[in-house]
Amino acid sequence: MNRIRHAAPDWALDSMQMAAVFAQLHLGYRNRRTVSGGPCSCLTPISAGILLISIAAIVSQAHAQTIALPSGTSTVTLQTLSPGSTTFDASAGTVINASTGDGVDGNNAQNWVFTNHGSITGTSWGVSLSSATLNGVTFDNFSSIQGKTAQGVLQTNGGQLTNHAGATIAGAQDGVSMTGAGSSVINDGSITTGSNAYSGVYFAAGGSFNQSATGTVGTNGGTGYGVVFNTGGVAGTNAGMVYGASATYAFWARGAATGTFSNSGTFSAGTGAVLASNGVALTNTGTITGTGGTAVSLTGSGNTLILGTGSVLNGSVASTGTNNVLTLQGSCSADNCSTWTITRIR
């Protein structure tokens, strides 16, 4: 008669490994002798140290194991799927289509390392991850993620998200929302929003956005924005396409946002780029198009627009703020150059 064997859970394997360590140490102790010649099974400081190191190594190995996500129609909760584990993977062919709630959810119990090669769809968020420490999440997406009524990806304590070439992230609200200061988004694929007043990529407290020539970020309808820095640090580069709707902006830095950003790709929306911030320097060597007539608008104060060699502006440049600086390689052609402090690079 054939017997069905079930794989032991991770905690059971850990227990068996630790039992083996105890047994090996005990064999060594059993053969020790006291000064008087009698047997001694005492635990010496050295052997105790070996025991602790062995246990720590076993626990560390368990945490480093990659746990496979199952296909299904319910939310996959990482901390429940494999308590204590930190590294998870949805392999190619995995399909998660949650009928309610998120597709994948991870709380603040761990600093998650998550890789997606499958298809993840949530009725609310596609993937929602917190972390034990600020920016503790490392997330790589190689396939497709969708949030039907909320964000495609929400990282509530920041972290790093890499959306690889050919991969897609779509949200009914923000495509990607990063709420931790200093978050990082690297995009070589497609990230989109489908709702009014939301963004392809949204940084609630600053961060860095870097997009290659294969990357696109924008809106699939409504009045969505491209990339938005709400406040905090601004950093990154764009070599791809960032686009917004006819009444919105492709790039928007606002509030107390400060930092530098470079565009060698394309910004295109009703207004191509808006600096409503207080200390952001935007360097353009690509194309900025304002389909509503304004390519770049500076409504904040102390911002700098640098138009480098190869820069193309389809639309005017407008400054309604104070102490803004325009640096040109070439001659001033903006309609309202008199409102600017101009530094010419020769």
Side-chain angles (χ1 to χ4, degrees):
M1 180 176 64
N2 294 328
R3 296 180 181 271
I4 299 175
R5 295 186 177 182
H6 296 280
D10 292 337
W11 63 265
L13 292 175
D14 294 344
S15 299
M16 289 187 285
Q17 287 175 302
M18 284 189 281
V21 171
F22 275 109
Q24 290 173 351
L25 289 172
H26 179 68
L27 287 174
Y29 307 151
R30 188 178 62 184
N31 294 326
R32 292 177 58 84
R33 314 294 293 181
T34 63
V35 175
S36 60
C40 174
S41 59
C42 48
L43 190 65
T44 68
I46 294 177
S47 58
I50 294 173
L51 176 61
L52 291 175
I53 292 171
S54 300
I55 293 173
I58 291 168
V59 173
S60 176
Q61 181 182 10
H63 284 190
Q65 290 176 343
T66 300
I67 307 301
L69 270 64
S71 295
T73 57
S74 300
T75 300
V76 177
T77 306
L78 302 185
Q79 63 271 15
T80 302
L81 179 64
S82 181
S85 297
T86 61
T87 306
F88 294 81
D89 175 76
S91 61
T94 300
V95 177
I96 299 169
N97 191 353
S99 57
T100 60
D102 309 337
V104 173
D105 181 86
N107 66 9
N108 61 357
Q110 303 287 350
N111 287 332
W112 308 109
V113 178
F114 181 45
T115 304
N116 176 48
H117 292 90
S119 174
I120 300 174
T121 301
T123 299
S124 52
W125 292 277
V127 175
S128 176
L129 299 174
S130 187
S131 57
T133 60
L134 179 65
N135 295 320
V137 169
T138 301
F139 183 11
D140 285 88
N141 180 45
F142 291 88
S143 191
S144 64
I145 298 171
Q146 180 184 8
K148 289 183 177 180
T149 61
Q151 284 87 354
V153 173
L154 172 65
Q155 293 184 202
T156 59
N157 204 16
Q160 178 172 305
L161 167 65
T162 302
N163 192 46
H164 293 267
T168 62
I169 298 174
Q173 296 177 356
D174 299 316
V176 171
S177 180
M178 309 290 276
T179 61
S183 302
S184 171
V185 174
I186 300 170
N187 184 45
D188 301 319
S190 171
I191 302 175
T192 56
T193 174
S195 293
N196 297 341
Y198 287 93
S199 313
V201 176
Y202 178 77
F203 294 94
S208 65
F209 173 77
N210 290 282
Q211 178 165 266
S212 70
T214 63
T216 61
V217 169
T219 178
N220 275 339
T223 56
Y225 297 82
V227 175
V228 175
F229 291 89
N230 184 55
T231 188
V234 174
T237 60
N238 171 54
M241 167 67 81
V242 179
Y243 59 97
S246 60
T248 65
Y249 322 136
F251 179 88
W252 189 10
R254 65 189 190 188
T258 60
T260 60
F261 195 90
S262 297
N263 174 54
S264 61
T266 300
F267 289 161
S268 181
T271 301
V274 174
L275 303 184
S277 45
N278 296 304
V280 170
L282 173 62
T283 298
N284 182 59
T285 56
T287 299
I288 302 179
T289 297
T291 58
T294 302
V296 181
S297 175
L298 284 86
T299 60
S301 300
N303 299 291
T304 301
L305 173 63
I306 302 169
L307 302 180
T309 301
S311 179
V312 175
L313 298 184
N314 295 315
S316 64
V317 177
S319 174
T320 57
T322 59
N323 299 318
N324 293 307
V325 176
L326 173 64
T327 299
L328 299 173
Q329 288 182 333
S331 60
C332 178
S333 60
D335 293 338
N336 57 349
C337 282
S338 60
T339 66
W340 296 81
T341 299
I342 300 174
T343 302
R344 181 172 298 171
I345 299 176
R346 297 185 183 276

